[in-house]
Amino acid sequence: MSPQPEPVPSPTTPPSLTEVETHGVDRIPDADRTATPLDLFRLAFGGANTFSTCVLGAFPILFGLSFWQGLAATLLGVVVGALILCPMAVFGPVNGTNNAVSSSAHLGVHGRVVGSFLSLLTAIAFFSISVWSSGDALVGGAHRLFGLERSTPSYVIAYALFAGLVLAVCVYGFRFMLFVNKVAVTSATALFLVGAIAFAGDFDPSYAGVFTDSADAATRSLFWPSFIGAALIVLSNPVSFGAFLGDWSRYIPASTPRRRVIGAAFLSQIATLLPFVFGLATASIIATKAPEYVDPAAPDFVGGLLAISPGWFFLPVCLLALIGGMSTGTTALYGTGLDFSSVFPRLSRVQATLLVGASSIAFIFVGRFGLDIVRSISTFATVIVTCTTPWMVVMMLGFHTRRGWYDPDALQVFNRRQRGGRYWFAHGWNWRGMTAWWVSALLGVLFTNIPGQFVGPLGDLANGVDISLPLALVVAAVLFLTLLRLFPEPRAVYGPEGARLARTVDTPVLPITGPDAPQNDAPLSDPPTTLRA
């Protein structure tokens, strides 16, 4: 009797952790989509459940708010940021690719590079915050535990350790990153709860800040600018994930109910109240016991935290720094490397990840030891988020007007170096979406007012209150919808059910031409079933 052939592995069997991911921004085959909304929650929460989020959580105290005022600003920033962010999760399951590629439908085949550029800047900013804050905590904890000298070589080794580990995880890809974040979510949460015990005896929720009844009129007049500025810095954290959610949700099956995907993204940011409140509470203790560390001119949250920590908490601080640095760094760097493999098609996902990673690491070292811009990076991150939010508005309104219908082949035209298709518009640019984005982003930057850090040319027109983000949101929404009404898009981009809140025009769509293009001029086939309501 002849031997039986070896069974063929099921196509739905997930690859092993140590298998390097081969998928780039090409549409993920249905058989390989084995992720769940819970996995999305773990990645989005794990990427923010870190030491760098604690640093952002300290800003309300640095701006002079009391603990309760700071808590209100934190709640406002987290909830509003989560509401802005969560709809961005649906593009991945619908199109099986990342959000920058999906933006081709609304900014044009070439206009999608806007999303790639924004994701690169966001990744560098938050990767840098992660490495710097975690490296400083690791060196400081080792100094208190083992007497390690806090010298330049010590910091170089710490930063290199974090950056190297993060880059290795990103090279392996999605599955390995998911595994790291599964571990990080549980362990970092446990360490934050241990930290609550460590500082419970010193915490006083009655910390009053500088905006007290006895403060002079000039000081009291700065309350609302400080409150809004603190809320916007907190809000920058959830919104910063907008360009990256599709990197992870593209592995979720298209048939997954939409409300579960959106809910996972929303809850992942609500859960970040844990590190935010930890940073807020410990900053109020630092302001009382070691105020020199919360000087707005030269804040040092990590140094202040180590100064007030009990000796037994130094090791948990080191562990939290290591775990948190890995989690935030991987979620920031992975997507940018993924996307640049499509911007530069000669590079594989691994090669693009190595290139972006090396460039980011160079920025980290030059920025820390050469230019000394560590204290300015939070301002940079906030400005980048101000530019990213209008892009997200265009994407979300575009999804609504298109009724969630997309042509996955036409989305890949840029990546395949082709021309034409439903999203070619005017030479690869959809000037409607592009105009709505750049006008609102520019206005947002002009009206930015971050107390003591950055004030745009028009930042004082609202009595010192930072109205940059609300203004950018409203202008982007109104301008984009107005342009869609005044200058209709081709009927073909809206699919079988037609447009919502927009007019259309029956203009011909150029056929896709170039490598592996269809061999006829007929419209491309309809996309797979989108997410269920």
Side-chain angles (χ1 to χ4, degrees), residues 389-398 400-401 432-433 435-441 443 469-485 501-502:
T389 304
W391 176 81
M392 295 167 60
V393 170
V394 171
M395 289 278 288
M396 289 183 284
L397 286 177
H400 185 70
T401 59
R432 306 162 189 81
T435 301
W437 168 71
W438 75 259
V439 169
S440 52
L443 283 175
L469 197 62
L471 181 65
L473 283 167
V474 172
V475 171
V478 173
L479 184 55
F480 184 52
L481 291 177
T482 300
L483 292 174
L484 289 181
R485 296 289 298 179
L501 300 179

Side-chain angles (χ1 to χ4, degrees), residues 218-257:
T219 299
R220 290 198 301 271
S221 68
L222 294 175
F223 171 74
W224 282 112
S226 300
F227 181 89
I228 299 299
L232 289 177
I233 286 182
V234 171
L235 182 147
S236 71
N237 197 65
V239 172
S240 70
F241 287 95
F244 303 120
L245 279 186
D247 302 335
W248 317 320
S249 64
R250 76 192 205 282
Y251 277 96
I252 297 176
S255 59
T256 305

Side-chain angles (χ1 to χ4, degrees), residues 9-295:
S10 170
T12 59
T13 301
S16 66
L17 293 178
T18 55
E19 181 179 338
V20 176
E21 181 186 6
T22 57
H23 288 301
V25 292
D26 51 305
R27 186 179 181 277
I28 304 297
D30 293 340
D32 293 342
R33 298 205 200 183
T34 57
T36 66
L38 179 59
D39 292 328
L40 176 62
F41 172 88
R42 287 168 173 156
L43 284 165
F45 175 43
N49 190 33
T50 64
F51 211 82
S52 57
T53 304
C54 297
V55 175
L56 296 178
F59 271 88
I61 301 299
L62 297 178
F63 284 180
L65 301 179
S66 71
F67 172 77
W68 292 111
Q69 292 165 348
L71 182 61
T74 301
L75 287 170
L76 176 64
V78 169
V79 172
V80 173
L83 289 172
I84 295 173
L85 170 72
C86 62
M88 295 298 292
V90 301
F91 291 95
V94 168
N95 295 323
T97 187
N98 70 343
N99 285 354
V101 172
S102 293
S103 72
S104 301
H106 309 296
L107 299 177
V109 167
H110 293 152
R112 56 137 294 178
V113 298
V114 169
S116 302
F117 180 66
L118 291 172
S119 68
L120 174 64
L121 295 180
T122 304
I124 290 176
F126 283 87
F127 183 36
S128 300
I129 292 174
S130 171
V131 171
W132 286 332
S133 59
S134 297
D136 290 350
L138 183 62
V139 172
H143 171 75
R144 298 290 295 271
L145 277 173
F146 311 113
L148 176 70
E149 183 181 357
R150 284 189 286 194
S151 60
T152 297
S154 298
Y155 287 105
V156 168
I157 293 173
Y159 297 158
L161 173 65
F162 280 116
L165 289 174
V166 167
L167 187 54
V169 173
C170 292
V171 166
Y172 275 104
F174 177 78
R175 297 293 168 188
F176 202 173
M177 184 177 65
L178 179 58
F179 170 75
V180 168
N181 278 270
K182 284 180 179 179
V183 175
V185 165
T186 303
S187 54
T189 300
L191 289 170
F192 278 126
L193 295 177
V194 170
I197 297 173
F199 297 107
D202 295 324
F203 174 61
D204 182 3
S206 64
Y207 172 74
V210 302
F211 303 107
T212 61
D213 293 337
S214 60
D216 56 56
T219 299
R220 290 198 301 271
S221 68
L222 294 175
F223 171 74
W224 282 112
S226 300
F227 181 89
I228 299 299
L232 289 177
I233 286 182
V234 171
L235 182 147
S236 71
N237 197 65
V239 172
S240 70
F241 287 95
F244 303 120
L245 279 186
D247 302 335
W248 317 320
S249 64
R250 76 192 205 282
Y251 277 96
I252 297 176
S255 59
T256 305
R258 186 180 307 170
R259 62 182 180 275
R260 292 185 58 202
V261 179
I262 294 176
F266 178 79
L267 292 176
S268 70
Q269 299 310 303
I270 298 301
T272 63
L273 285 170
L274 175 63
F276 270 118
V277 174
F278 181 87
L280 176 70
T282 51
S284 69
I285 300 172
I286 296 170
T288 302
K289 299 183 66 175
E292 65 274 15
Y293 288 99
V294 291
D295 180 0

Side-chain angles (χ1 to χ4, degrees), residues 267-357:
L267 292 176
S268 70
Q269 299 310 303
I270 298 301
T272 63
L273 285 170
L274 175 63
F276 270 118
V277 174
F278 181 87
L280 176 70
T282 51
S284 69
I285 300 172
I286 296 170
T288 302
K289 299 183 66 175
E292 65 274 15
Y293 288 99
V294 291
D295 180 0
D300 184 5
F301 171 77
V302 174
L305 182 67
L306 292 170
I308 65 170
S309 294
W312 62 267
F313 191 60
F314 294 151
L315 180 59
V317 165
C318 293
L319 292 174
L320 188 59
L322 180 62
I323 295 169
M326 287 284 293
S327 187
T328 298
T330 54
T331 52
L333 190 59
Y334 168 79
T336 305
L338 173 69
D339 194 49
F340 264 68
S341 66
S342 66
V343 176
F344 302 101
R346 292 186 178 181
L347 299 176
S348 67
R349 185 197 66 83
V350 172
Q351 291 171 330
T353 299
L354 289 172
L355 175 62
V356 172

